[in-house]
Amino acid sequence: MESFWGILADAMSLILAWDADLIEIIGLSLRVTVTAVAIACAIGLPVGAAVGSFAFPGRTAAAVILNSLMGLPPVVVGLIVYLMLSAAGPLGPLGLLYTPTAMIIAQTVLVTPIVAALTRQVVEDLHREYAEQFSSLQVGPLDRVLALLWDARYSLLTVALAGFGRAVAEVGAVIIVGGNINHVTRMMTTTIALETSKGNLQLALALGVVLLAMALVVNAGVMALRASAVRAAYV
Amino acid sequence: MHAAGPATRPEAVAPPLLQARRLCFDAGGRRLIDRIDAEIRAHRRTVIMGANGTGKSVLLRLLHGLIRPTAGEVLWQGRPLDRAGRREQSMVFQRPVLLRRSVLANLRFALAVRGVDGPERATREAKAIERARLGDLAKRPARVLSGGEQQRLAVARALACEPRVLFLDEATASLDPASTHAIEELVREAQDSGVTIVLITHDIGQARRLGEDLIFLHAGRVVESGPVADVLGAPRAEATRAWLEGRLHLGPPGHGTS
């Protein structure tokens, strides 16, 4: 077996050579993950904001459920989505199993509770500060939610980032519903698992390096945005 | 404000705009407001004073409809205070609550939720910016302004909604003399344009400068009310006397009232 440094050198060569397989896998991973996070934000942000800013019976229970769902085991989510999409499942006729769409659905199920739960906390804290002023101005429910989401926008970027981190690093659910089919549903994480088991460590490590680099770039970008927001007292 | 009670003085004649009737408010197993009967008269400047924890802020929130009374009622022009009545009121808090947006966007938001838009909104925004003397800072984030500038913006925002009553809850408590003076000028201008003022302050000088009527609270009850000069010049209630002399008065509301 090659040394770690030898494998790393080969992995870097693959990246620098802009290897077609590598690019395809990265592209699919980004498409699936970004789409899932976008859908999760579209659902989770308003749900979290509503739970965080409205008083209604069962609000505490809703918050507890959201928090609990943050820890959903990916393989369980994968199994449930698999059962829903399989030929015998209620969504079987759609023929989505082993497609990127199936992986988007699984990741959305995993990420939405994270976005909703963290949004609830952020919005609740902000609403505590704004509540009397909003009440004095008689801000309506929709305006209130929109205002809170807008004013918490920089904190919510971090929330979206947490969702992205969870989705992009996820392997259990997408491998069950996607099947890790070459050129169809092969993601970075599933490829790393597969190629490692096959002994193709160069490609696995190359993907690992790209995954880490992506996490670094996205984090740095969000931190820079937040820093500018803090300077403007927008956080 | 004119309050029924043991030390009520003759009041200026003006129609009551707001009335508190046997108003009570309980929280945490304690009675914070205890059977208050009071009237806010239109176009007057009413000062509410009293030691910390006597229920001044709670009373203001009840009058503005931010909280519901445990018993009793608040009347707006003779009828129970409702959403329509509340829309004719504005409130400024001790710590200005400003959105994480620019000065202009803060004004725009308040006007938008009040249904003011188009040229009317632009006119009111410009007037508020000018009134608060924040012309150079209109596009700056509101929360980077100094404390005085932030409170001027909060008052200007409240006045931009063109309320008939402006409530101020210790709006100058943490401001320097110059900033306090600027807020007092805004309050006077507002009253000159017909706005009824109700403010809480611990500053006796401010009460004399700004107030016309005064109500003094102790233990959630009105112990004395009347023209500011009369109440502060010759207090009748022991609680008022003790407060003016800087003594701690722990007796019941009616104790020592002459």
Side-chain angles (χ1 to χ4, degrees), chain A residues 126 129-140 143-144 146-148 150-153 230-235, chain B residues 61 64-66 83 86-87 89-91 93 95 97-102 109-110 113-114 140-141 143-144 157 161:
Chain A
L126 189 60
E129 180 187 331
Y130 286 179
E132 280 199 318
Q133 186 67 59
F134 279 0
S135 179
S136 178
L137 288 169
Q138 295 191 34
V139 180
D143 284 337
R144 192 189 319 170
L146 293 176
L148 287 165
W150 178 252
D151 276 27
R153 58 197 178 278
V230 167
R231 280 195 295 277
Y234 281 147
V235 174
Chain B
R61 280 158 175 75
H64 186 31
L66 291 183
R83 284 183 63 83
R86 290 188 57 218
R87 284 182 84 82
Q89 307 173 352
S90 289
M91 185 157 175
F93 299 91
R95 184 172 171 273
V97 182
L98 299 175
L99 304 184
R100 287 153 170 78
R101 308 175 187 195
S102 70
F109 176 80
V113 297
R114 288 289 177 109
R140 292 281 303 277
R143 292 159 62 92
V144 301
R157 180 179 61 184
C161 297

Side-chain angles (χ1 to χ4, degrees), chain A:
Chain A
M1 186 175 170
E2 276 188 75
S3 71
F4 172 78
W5 297 112
I7 296 168
L8 182 62
D10 291 345
M12 295 309 291
S13 302
L14 273 176
I15 296 170
L16 294 173
W18 213 240
D19 181 80
D21 283 352
L22 193 74
I23 300 305
E24 182 185 310
I25 292 165
I26 294 169
L28 179 65
S29 293
L30 279 176
R31 182 159 71 88
V32 168
T33 301
V34 169
T35 307
V37 172
I39 297 170
C41 285
I43 300 167
L45 290 176
V47 168
V51 177
S53 60
F54 295 142
F56 57 88
R59 180 169 178 260
T60 305
V64 169
I65 290 168
L66 284 180
N67 285 342
S68 304
L69 291 176
M70 284 175 73
L72 273 177
V75 286
V76 175
V77 170
L79 178 62
I80 291 168
V81 174
Y82 176 89
L83 291 171
M84 302 292 278
L85 298 181
S86 63
L91 301 176
L94 297 176
L96 295 175
L97 199 60
Y98 303 133
T99 66
T101 305
M103 297 193 292
I104 291 170
I105 293 170
Q107 286 201 347
T108 301
V109 172
L110 272 174
V111 173
T112 300
I114 294 172
V115 173
L118 296 178
T119 299
R120 181 202 62 81
Q121 189 61 59
V122 167
V123 167
E124 193 172 298
D125 291 344
L126 189 60
H127 186 245
R128 199 170 293 128
E129 180 187 331
Y130 286 179
E132 280 199 318
Q133 186 67 59
F134 279 0
S135 179
S136 178
L137 288 169
Q138 295 191 34
V139 180
L142 181 62
D143 284 337
R144 192 189 319 170
V145 166
L146 293 176
L148 287 165
L149 286 174
W150 178 252
D151 276 27
R153 58 197 178 278
Y154 292 104
S155 298
L156 294 177
L157 266 178
T158 312
V159 169
L161 179 66
F164 180 83
R166 166 79 158 183
V168 80
E170 197 282 319
V171 60
V174 290
I175 208 164
I176 291 175
V177 301
N180 203 17
I181 302 166
N182 201 13
H183 302 299
V184 180
T185 56
R186 195 155 283 185
M187 304 262 286
M188 283 195 283
T189 50
T190 57
T191 309
I192 289 171
L194 178 70
E195 298 301 327
T196 302
S197 67
K198 283 164 58 182
N200 185 4
L201 301 178
Q202 290 80 0
L203 181 57
L205 193 57
L207 287 167
V209 169
V210 171
L211 203 55
L212 286 172
M214 273 171 42
L216 196 72
V217 168
V218 172
N219 267 293
V222 170
M223 279 188 71
L225 257 176
R226 271 187 66 87
S228 68
V230 167
R231 280 195 295 277
Y234 281 147
V235 174

Side-chain angles (χ1 to χ4, degrees), chain B residues 211-256:
Chain B
E212 293 172 306
D213 302 326
L214 188 148
I215 178 169
F216 198 91
L217 289 187
H218 178 69
R221 298 184 73 174
V222 176
V223 293
E224 187 161 7
S225 68
V228 168
D230 293 358
V231 175
L232 295 181
R236 294 175 181 174
E238 171 58 20
T240 319
R241 278 199 296 274
W243 188 80
L244 286 169
E245 292 164 8
R247 290 186 283 113
L248 198 58
H249 175 70
L250 301 173
H255 177 72

Side-chain angles (χ1 to χ4, degrees), chain B residues 38-54:
Chain B
E39 291 179 349
I40 302 280
R41 299 188 177 280
H43 312 303
R44 302 280 291 177
R45 292 190 300 253
T46 302
V47 179
I48 301 175
M49 301 186 89
N52 292 328
T54 52

